Amino acid sequence: MCEAPESAHSSALSQALRELDVILANAGVGIVFVKARRLVRCNQRYSEIYGFNSPEAAVGRSSLELYASEQEARSLGSRAYAVLSTGETFRGEQIMRRQNGELFWAHLTGRLIDPDNPADGSIWIVDDIHERKLADAALEDLSAEQQLILDHAMVGIVFLRDRRVTRVNRAFEQLFGYGPGELDGQFSRAWYLSDEDWKAAGDLCYEPLARGEAFQAEMLLGRKDGTPVWCEVRSKAIDRSDLSRGSIWITQDITARKLAEQELVHAKHQLEVLVAQRTEQLSQTVAALEQKIAEQQAAEAHIQRLAMFDGLTGLPNRHLLADRATQAIDIARRGAEPLAVLFLDLDHFKNVNDSLGHRVGDALLVQLAARLRGAVREQDTVARMGGDEFVLVLPQTDIAGAAHLAAKLMALASAPYQVEQHELTVTPSMGIAMFPTDGDDFDTLCKCADAAMYRAKKDGRNAYRFFTSEMQAQSARVLLLENALRRALHRQQLSLHYQPLFALEARPGESADGSDGGARIVGAEALLRWHHPELGWVSPAEFIPIAETSGLILPIGEWVLREALSQLRRWDDAGLPELTMAVNLSAVQFRHDDLPELVGRVLGDTGMPAERLELELTEGAAMDNPAVAITVMNELHARGVRLAIDDFGTGYSSLSHLKKFRVSKLKIDQSFVRDLTEDAEDRAIVDAVIRMAEALGLQTLAEGVETPGQLDFLRRQGCQAVQGYLLSRPLPADAFAEFVLARAMVSV
């Protein structure tokens, strides 16, 4: 009888699973499946590498304990995820830790099981390469020692005639254990181990000597006491036309090298080829050593070039640029001549790298560099500062000349680029600073040109701007605020105000008379404030971007989170109704590896439940790297923290990504709420956002509600929550508590 199809399928599946188990059990490398940083399954080799008693003993263990430190584990995770999230395979070498605490080198190969769903985990192949690493280190040590021998050891020299010693140096006598003059007149047989070896050496060497050629070989010879010694010997006839005049022999002790080679062969068979190469290198003649010196000099010249020129475009780098610019400025100063510094940056170049890859982006930069170089004079300098930033130093160039060149570069840089099968178009933004009007040194001129370039970007991009006194004042203001902000947290100049968040309850027939009835306080949004003793109140719109660009947003953001949750605890202790706390996250904070752990730590320190915290991030922060955003959101969601998209509608969102984001709320930006009662388009946008949120199972909250008409429209459309000056301005902590308690008394 024939086996039933389903039974045959089951049998095939069982057979495949058995074959997979056999493969895992007999693989020469460790294989492990990891999910949420936990070992889900591994093979026997993996458990052996890490010192587990069995594969079963490894299951459920945290992958963090397999690293030298948690910091190294997270560092590798950050590097690996940038590769894995793109669907590619990550490969690298890493110091790991066995169960007995022993550290060892491992080669890791990892890949996500499903790149579209990182939460499904990953598979890693682990190879113990510790012995190879040790052998590599031993080989490096050996190479250094042998080089030292070549550079400093004395060489043995002996002259022979009819195979008798006619003259010998002291180094040769010491090499074979003889006293001064003891070898004079002796046959060369004295340093051979046997008659057969001596005869074989004569047969081997005198034929090439008779042809006028040099002889070179490695021989096992013997000292006076019979101890064998490996020697490198080189010989040449004194007069190739008359061998009776004898020959000269140069001998060098290579016993240490030979023994080391043998040890390395026994220790690691894989290094045989490399050891042979090293042996061949150390066996070269004096001419080969001279060649090596020439190669080293060429390498040093190449390194010097790498130090002064950009490796991608071949343009001067920032070091050579600074040197040339300083010289050009000195010449301009002595001759009272004008000079221009032009800073060029491509608009939205990141989109090219993100969509087409860095290879295409690099090819575009190479073409742009060629265009810039071809557009300037011989005395001008075009340099690449890094990324898509270029700086041009233009001696003897006045304002009119700089403007003419800038217009020319605008056209050149904006012309289409053909990279492989792609036709690409990018636009530049340029800033120009003039010597000596805008600065007397290169650093100042470069900063001024940079500031002018950013003004060009702010004015709409694809343009050039000259530096102005207004930019100087703005730059000075930014520097002043950054320096002051570095001390603001330590000096307790920062504080939080809290804006009440109101839940809307349907109230049929309610008139728009300014009443906020039906609006119940359900939470607070923590808003950062800065009062400087001399500058007064500094606007968050001014100092928060500075904090982000300077990196200060990380310690300040942690303080905001900790202070907001601590205040929520104090309100609970004071008897206020149970509220939620909304805290804004900047894009810099959201991209930081430690964010989920930081949030969990602060929640634990303050004793607040995770569901009482709502983190708000902008569309831009979420969409900057959706794959990473999804992972971070999943980790925060797993901890019980709620997430909201702030300023929704002002950026760009892909619905395919939005539906994967673990968010519970969309905050409608106040720019759409402001003209709700007058602008039909704003009403349509707000209504569409509310409908979309309902379809996705998300809540909505409208910001900036200032009129009863706005409130009434939002309630009628089904918006669940609002905040704004109509209901309350942001309040200090004590005033907020009084406001909440007063409303509670009224409602009672």
Side-chain angles (χ1 to χ4, degrees), residues 86 144 149 182 207 272 311 344 373-374 385-386 436 540 552 580 679:
T86 64
I149 292 172
E182 193 173 352
E207 182 178 348
E272 285 183 352
L344 183 149
R373 191 161 39 202
M385 297 290 280
L552 294 172
T580 60
D679 193 317

Side-chain angles (χ1 to χ4, degrees), residues 310-512:
D310 176 49
L312 176 65
T313 63
L315 296 176
N317 61 16
R318 63 175 65 242
H319 302 294
L320 183 56
L321 170 67
D323 182 64
R324 289 188 180 179
T326 300
Q327 295 181 29
I329 291 172
D330 288 342
I331 295 172
R333 185 183 296 111
R334 290 194 298 269
E337 298 172 342
L339 177 143
V341 173
L342 188 149
F343 202 109
L344 183 149
D345 179 273
L346 294 179
D347 302 327
H348 304 300
F349 179 71
K350 182 176 181 295
N351 294 342
V352 176
N353 284 334
D354 290 347
S355 59
L356 301 177
H358 287 276
R359 182 169 56 82
V360 173
D362 287 349
L364 188 151
L365 292 177
V366 171
Q367 292 187 32
L368 172 61
R371 295 182 186 184
L372 297 179
R373 191 161 39 202
V376 300
R377 303 164 299 178
E378 184 177 352
Q379 66 265 36
D380 299 332
T381 296
V382 182
R384 182 184 180 217
M385 297 290 280
D388 58 326
E389 296 179 345
F390 296 82
V391 172
L392 288 78
V393 177
L394 311 169
Q396 300 178 343
T397 301
D398 57 14
I399 292 177
H404 175 76
L405 178 62
K408 179 180 179 181
L409 295 180
M410 292 285 298
L412 284 174
S414 302
Y417 299 82
Q418 189 66 41
V419 181
E420 298 175 357
Q421 73 273 23
H422 307 288
E423 184 176 84
L424 307 174
T425 301
V426 294
T427 58
S429 292
M430 288 182 282
I432 306 171
M434 301 300 302
F435 170 86
T437 308
D438 300 327
D440 193 54
D441 60 82
F442 177 63
D443 286 342
T444 302
L445 290 170
C446 201
K447 291 177 182 177
C448 292
D450 188 31
M453 183 272 293
Y454 277 103
R455 173 55 61 90
K457 286 187 177 292
K458 186 176 181 180
D459 290 347
R461 307 177 189 271
N462 193 20
Y464 66 87
R465 294 289 183 270
F466 282 90
F467 182 75
T468 66
S469 57
E470 176 189 354
M471 297 178 196
Q472 178 67 44
Q474 183 179 3
S475 177
R477 170 75 173 178
V478 169
L479 181 60
L480 173 65
L481 290 180
E482 180 178 339
N483 290 332
L485 190 59
R486 292 185 183 279
R487 300 183 291 272
L489 189 60
H490 176 69
R491 295 179 178 178
Q492 299 181 341
Q493 297 171 2
L494 301 180
S495 62
L496 294 182
H497 284 196
Y498 302 90
Q499 184 163 36
L501 306 179
F502 295 83
L504 294 181
E505 299 175 356
R507 297 184 52 121
E510 180 182 8
S511 62

Side-chain angles (χ1 to χ4, degrees), residues 577-626:
E578 187 174 287
L579 304 172
T580 60
M581 179 63 71
V583 177
N584 291 284
L585 287 178
S586 77
V588 176
Q589 290 173 279
F590 188 67
R591 290 193 295 265
H592 199 267
D593 296 339
D594 193 40
L595 177 62
E597 289 73 14
L598 171 64
V599 172
R601 186 166 60 251
V602 174
L603 286 169
D605 293 344
T606 57
M608 294 305 300
E611 61 270 15
R612 300 277 298 280
L613 173 63
E614 183 173 85
L615 297 177
E616 299 181 358
L617 63 151
T618 63
E619 280 184 280
M623 295 302 300
D624 183 51
N625 191 330

